[in-house]
Structure formats: C-alpha cells, structure tokens
C-alpha cells in the first residue's frame, strides 16, 4: 500500500472505526472521494454532446412508459447507419447522471463511499450525504424516469420511487438502468438457487405466452447458460426466460422485498409480464444501492453494512458458490465499451477508459473480439498486455440510457486499487459527440459519447492516487 493510500485509509478509519465496523453513530460520511468524483463528472461537460433526436417545440420525444430493450447488434448497426446522416442539435440541458463509488479495503470491506448526482437542477453535480453505517441516504427524493418529463419538464420527474421522501432536499429523476437491471434478475435467480428452488444445472423450458418479439420463442437451456448469456452478452431472450422462471415460482415479490430488507430499497423489478418475462420498463436502480449489491456479490469479510432497521448485511446473503458464479459471469463481460473501451483497442476514438483486460473467451485467433453477433475489428492483445485491472461489470444501453456497473481490481504489481463503480445516465445511443468518426462497415458501432470513457479513466486515476 502506498503512503497516500495508507494515510487516506487512516482518515477513513478514524471516522468509521476499524475496517468500517458498524458503530452507534449513524451520521453521514464525508470524504474527499465524493468531491473528486463530483469534479471529474463536471469536467466532462456532458452538456456538450449532440442530441440526434431532439424534441421539437410542443412535441414529446416519446411516451415515457414505452418498451426499452437493448437493441441487438444488427439493430444497432442499422440504427447507426440511419443516425450517422443526422446532424442533430446541441443538448438542450444538463443530462441526469447517478454515479457511485465504493472503495474496498484488502478484505473487500467498504473503506470509502461517494455518490454524486448530475441534472438540470444540479448542473455541476451535487454530493449525496451517505450514512456511513448503512451506506444509505434519506436525502434524495428519487423519481421514476420518464423521457418526456426529462425533455419538457426541465428534467424533473413526477412519480416517486419511494414513499416518504417528499421533504428530501435533493430531488432527482433516476435514469432508466437498461440492461444493468439484469444484475437484479441475477441476484433473484441465485437467491432462489440458494433456497433450493432453482437448480442452475437443470433445463428450463421457456414457453412464452404470448410470444414477445424482444424475448424470442420457445427454447430449452440450462439455467446456468441462460444466466451467463444474460450477463456476458446481454442477451434479451435469456433474460426474459429467467424473469419468467421467477414468475413461475411466484417469487418476484419476495425478491423485491429482499432488496428492501437488505437496505437497497431503490432496487426493484416491477410490471414484467408473467407469461413471457417481457416489459422491463418498471425497473429502477439508484447508483448507491447498485454499488451495495455489487459490494455484497464481491464478498468482503464481516459486516458490510447495517441497515437503518438494524439488520447486519454480510456476504452470506448469497452462498460462496453463487457469489463466485456471479463474479465469474461479470468477469466474462463481452461488451467492454463504456467506462472501459478495450474492445476498440488502439482506435483514436473512443479514447481509452478504465484500462481493463478483455476476457480471453471472446478473443479470436487474430486478436479481434466477437461477442455473439457483435464484431469488433481491433486486435486487443496489445491492450491486454498493457492492462492494469480486471473489470467485472454489466453494461446497458438504449436510446436514452448509457449505464455501466462493476468491480475493478488491479493486477498484482500494478498501482493498487479495488473498488466498485456505477454510472447511470440518460445519454444513450441518441446522443453522440459532434466530431465522432464513422464506424467501419460491419463493425459493432460506438454507442455512446466518449465522455463516458473519459469519466471511467478519470475515476480510475482518482482511485489509483488515493
């Protein structure tokens, strides 16, 4: 451990007690990490991007509750070609972003936490006060995401996610999480597996009624395979199957209740269709609660946090085998293209983000990457040789969402960092950089503004230098 990290850790321990031991003091944690994160977000000047589908005066972008599924590679390629000829307009207001970091000590316990929100109401970002004992906040009035409300109501939402927050000082519309919500599905599956209600090695016959285009038709696969495809390739059909499987067991209410019981009340999957597992728009995640979920999956020793109701949360909320399986699938992520960008190794655009290693399972003989039908044209071996960290993560993208959430761990001999990072934002595939180059034909397109990668690199630099 270098001297700067040692002194920072000592400062945190003086606030929280040794190794984040829960204390009687439920006060809020204040740490320089939060201000550094806020400054890094503000420096990206996210309002500087181009909106390819700007709202027309008096017209809404879309109905806020319309379906939102991650497009397939073929759909994205078609959309990229269509949008490439559109000039767009400057973004008319600051986007909404929810970014959270939990620094981990050597035992995987929280050493520091930071949460920053960006929105038209907080154009340079606002630091969220976080209670150090529960890793929670009651200072934010979270609102459900709605595209139209963001466009025409100054970024303000109208439906509360949680009851009783009407007088909270920070009012914030949580960006739709897109496929990062699959972390919640994964937790639900493994929770049921630990209870003996699901066998990961058994076949699951997915027989949708009615058939939904985004979910595909009838299929039979091992539950373990469905889980892997959902996380590593973000396969929608596999996700629908697992959601339906949880419905078959009448267990979604219990899964959502477990999130609340564990002190992660903003995590919820609601309104999905029991017969096919489709309609995902009723999912919500805050950055802070998502980071806590990943903290649990990572599996540090001892009490990770104590809820405001007094429940001590440990890694044993999932068994060791379930946590390892979850970590392995997150570590096998194929879509490394938001906070990290090594799938496009060596390109001038986008810039390099978090310097992660690309999992070997996706690398072809010539060094290029192929993830299902998504083809990348760059030899990633030089970036893998220079990589400093692993990034076990889940990305998500739709037209009005760019999201990434995962666990960063440095290789031995590299500058030490060990942290959870989560970013949700409404700058999805409809928002690009004005100077973006065209994607080569047949290659998986760059989906987002490269400001995400710049932010990922900035966050990693902060964590390296703590």
């Amino acid at each position: 451990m270098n001297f700067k990290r040692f002194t920072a850790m000592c400062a945190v321990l003086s606030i929280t007690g040794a190794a984040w031991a829960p204390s009687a003091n439920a006060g809020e944690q204040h740490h320089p990490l939060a201000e550094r994160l806020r400054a890094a977000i503000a420096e990206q000047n996210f309002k500087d991007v181009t909106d390819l589908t700007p709202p027309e005066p008096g017209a809404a972008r879309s109905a806020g509750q319309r379906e939102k599924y991650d497009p397939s590679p073929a759909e994205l390629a078609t959309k990229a070609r269509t949008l490439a000829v559109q000039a767009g307009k400057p973004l008319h207001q600051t986007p909404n972003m929810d970014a959270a970091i939990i620094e981990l000590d050597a035992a995987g316990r929280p050493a520091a936490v930071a949460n920053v929100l960006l929105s038209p109401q907080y154009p340079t970002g606002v630091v969220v006060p976080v209670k150090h004992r529960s890793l929670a906040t009651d200072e934010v009035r979270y609102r459900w995401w709605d595209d139209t409300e963001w466009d025409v109501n100054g970024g303000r939402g109208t439906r509360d996610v949680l009851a009783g927050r009407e007088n909270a000082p920070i009012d914030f519309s949580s960006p739709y999480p897109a496929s990062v919500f699959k972390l919640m599905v994964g937790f639900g599956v493994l929770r049921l597996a630990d209870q003996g209600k699901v066998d990961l090695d058994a076949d699951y016959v997915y027989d949708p009624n009615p058939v939904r285009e985004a979910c595909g038709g009838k299929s039979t696969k091992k539950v373990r395979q469905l889980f892997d495809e959902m996380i590593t390739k973000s396969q929608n059909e596999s996700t629908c199957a697992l959601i339906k499987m949880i419905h078959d067991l009448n267990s979604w209410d219990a899964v959502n209740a477990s999130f609340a019981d564990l002190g992660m009340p903003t995590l919820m999957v609601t309104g999905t269709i029991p017969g096919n597992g489709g309609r995902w728009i009723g999912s919500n995640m805050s950055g802070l609660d998502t980071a806590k979920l990943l903290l649990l999956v990572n599996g540090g020793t001892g009490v990770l946090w104590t809820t405001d109701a007094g429940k001590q949360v440990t890694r044993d909320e999932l068994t060791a085998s379930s946590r390892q399986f979850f970590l392995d699938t997150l570590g096998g992520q194929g879509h490394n293209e938001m906070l990290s960008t090594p799938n496009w190794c060596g390109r001038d655009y986008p810039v390099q983000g978090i310097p992660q290693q690309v999992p070997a399972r996706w690398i072809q003989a010539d060094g290029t990457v192929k993830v299902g039908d998504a083809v990348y044209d760059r030899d990633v071996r030089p970036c893998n040789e220079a990589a400093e960290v692993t990034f076990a993560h889940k990305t998500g993208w739709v037209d009005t969402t760019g999201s990434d959430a995962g666990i960063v761990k440095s290789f031995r001999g590299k500058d030490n960092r060990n942290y959870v990072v989560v970013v949700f934002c409404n700058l999805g595939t409809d928002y690009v950089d004005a100077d973006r180059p065209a994607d080569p034909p047949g290659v998986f397109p760059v989906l987002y503004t490269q400001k995400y990668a710049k932010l990922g690199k900035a966050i990693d630099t902060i964590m390296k230098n703590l």
Side-chain angles (χ1 to χ4, degrees):
M1 179 180 294
N2 63 35
F3 178 75
K4 286 187 291 184
R5 181 171 291 272
F6 176 77
T7 54
M9 186 72 73
C10 288
V12 173
L13 295 181
S14 69
I15 297 173
T16 65
W20 198 275
S23 68
N25 176 15
E28 294 159 357
Q29 181 209 7
H30 299 279
H31 189 268
L33 177 60
E35 176 53 33
R36 293 178 188 178
L37 175 60
R38 188 207 62 77
I41 292 170
E43 286 170 3
Q44 304 312 316
N45 190 25
F46 280 96
K47 193 179 175 182
D48 192 31
V49 303
T50 296
D51 185 348
L52 295 178
T53 57
E56 297 298 329
R61 181 185 301 267
S62 64
Q65 288 299 302
R66 67 188 175 87
E67 289 281 18
K68 286 179 178 286
Y69 300 100
D70 287 7
S72 69
E75 290 170 329
L76 282 168
T78 300
K79 179 174 181 177
R81 288 193 297 270
T82 301
L83 294 181
V85 300
Q86 296 181 214
K89 295 181 180 179
L91 191 63
H92 65 285
Q93 61 187 1
T94 303
N96 278 39
M97 175 177 285
D98 184 349
I101 300 172
I102 299 178
E103 184 187 15
L104 307 176
D105 68 12
R109 297 167 297 196
V113 61
N115 186 202
V116 173
L117 305 178
L118 184 76
S119 74
Q121 288 70 51
Y122 314 108
T124 60
V126 59
V127 171
V128 174
V130 179
K131 302 174 187 178
H132 74 257
R133 186 169 182 259
S134 60
L135 302 183
T137 184
D138 53 14
E139 301 293 299
V140 181
R141 183 179 186 180
Y142 293 104
R143 310 288 195 129
W144 283 94
W145 183 258
D146 185 294
D147 288 340
T148 297
E149 288 179 342
W150 186 81
D151 273 328
V152 304
N153 198 38
R156 296 178 178 87
T158 58
R159 294 189 302 131
D160 286 293
V161 174
L162 301 173
R165 295 287 185 93
E166 291 79 11
N167 296 319
I170 301 172
D171 197 327
F172 181 72
S173 291
S174 295
Y176 176 64
S179 275
V180 174
F181 103 101
K182 294 169 185 177
L183 295 178
M184 297 189 288
V185 180
F187 176 85
V189 170
L190 295 179
R191 185 90 159 176
L192 293 169
D194 289 345
Q195 294 168 358
K197 298 177 181 178
V198 167
D199 181 354
L200 296 180
D201 295 308
D203 286 334
Y204 177 67
V205 179
Y206 175 65
D207 190 5
N209 182 25
V211 173
R212 201 171 189 83
E213 182 179 0
C215 295
K218 185 175 181 178
S219 65
T220 301
K221 292 182 180 180
K222 303 291 186 188
V223 175
R224 189 179 298 274
Q225 180 182 350
L226 292 169
F227 192 109
D228 180 87
E229 292 172 348
M230 174 179 72
I231 299 296
T232 65
K233 298 195 293 183
S234 204
Q235 193 159 306
N236 292 336
E237 295 87 347
S238 299
T239 308
C240 289
L242 292 177
I243 292 172
K244 183 180 184 301
M245 183 185 72
I246 296 175
H247 275 297
D248 293 347
L249 296 168
N250 296 314
S251 292
W252 268 116
D253 286 345
V255 171
N256 284 323
S258 70
F259 291 132
D261 180 59
L262 295 173
M264 301 178 286
T266 67
L267 303 188
M268 60 186 74
V269 178
T270 66
T272 52
I273 300 172
N276 55 36
R279 196 172 64 201
W280 303 345
I281 195 65
S283 59
N284 185 83
M285 308 176 83
S286 70
L288 189 59
D289 283 352
T290 304
K292 290 166 70 175
L293 178 61
L294 289 168
L295 172 64
L296 188 159
V297 172
N298 184 62
T301 60
V303 176
L304 299 175
W305 69 86
T306 301
T307 70
D308 289 336
K311 179 179 177 62
Q312 293 185 332
V313 179
T314 72
R315 63 187 180 185
D316 294 332
E317 296 298 334
L318 291 175
T319 63
S321 60
S322 285
R323 284 187 287 101
Q324 190 59 56
F325 177 51
F326 212 155
L327 286 170
D328 288 345
T329 54
L330 290 169
Q333 177 60 240
H335 292 287
N336 306 296
E337 56 207 25
M338 187 189 166
L339 295 179
S340 64
T341 51
N343 283 18
W344 292 301
C345 178
R347 275 200 195 179
D348 292 332
Y349 183 97
V351 299
Q352 183 189 54
I354 295 172
Q356 75 155 109
Q357 185 179 69
V358 176
R361 65 184 284 187
W362 308 114
I363 302 176
Q364 309 300 297
D366 63 355
T368 61
V369 168
K370 187 174 186 294
V371 184
D373 294 329
V375 176
Y376 303 81
D377 64 337
R378 306 296 298 189
D379 185 345
V380 301
R381 290 172 293 188
C383 290
N384 269 11
E385 291 176 5
E388 300 177 25
V389 301
T390 59
F391 188 22
H393 66 126
K394 182 71 195 78
T395 55
W397 60 82
V398 292
D399 52 356
T400 56
T401 299
S403 54
D404 204 350
I407 304 161
V408 176
K409 296 184 179 180
S410 57
F411 294 122
R412 182 172 297 178
K414 301 294 184 180
D415 289 313
N416 186 47
R417 60 260 206 208
N418 188 11
Y419 63 95
V420 173
V421 60
V422 178
V423 171
F424 294 121
C425 187
N426 68 297
L427 297 185
T429 58
D430 281 356
Y431 304 90
V432 299
D433 298 312
D435 57 351
R436 73 195 187 285
D439 291 293
V443 173
F444 193 73
V446 179
L447 301 176
Y448 314 110
T449 166
Q450 68 172 347
K451 291 178 185 291
Y452 285 129
K454 291 180 178 179
L455 178 61
K457 183 66 172 179
I459 288 172
D460 192 62
T461 299
I462 290 169
M463 303 311 292
K464 183 189 300 188
N465 293 328
L466 278 180

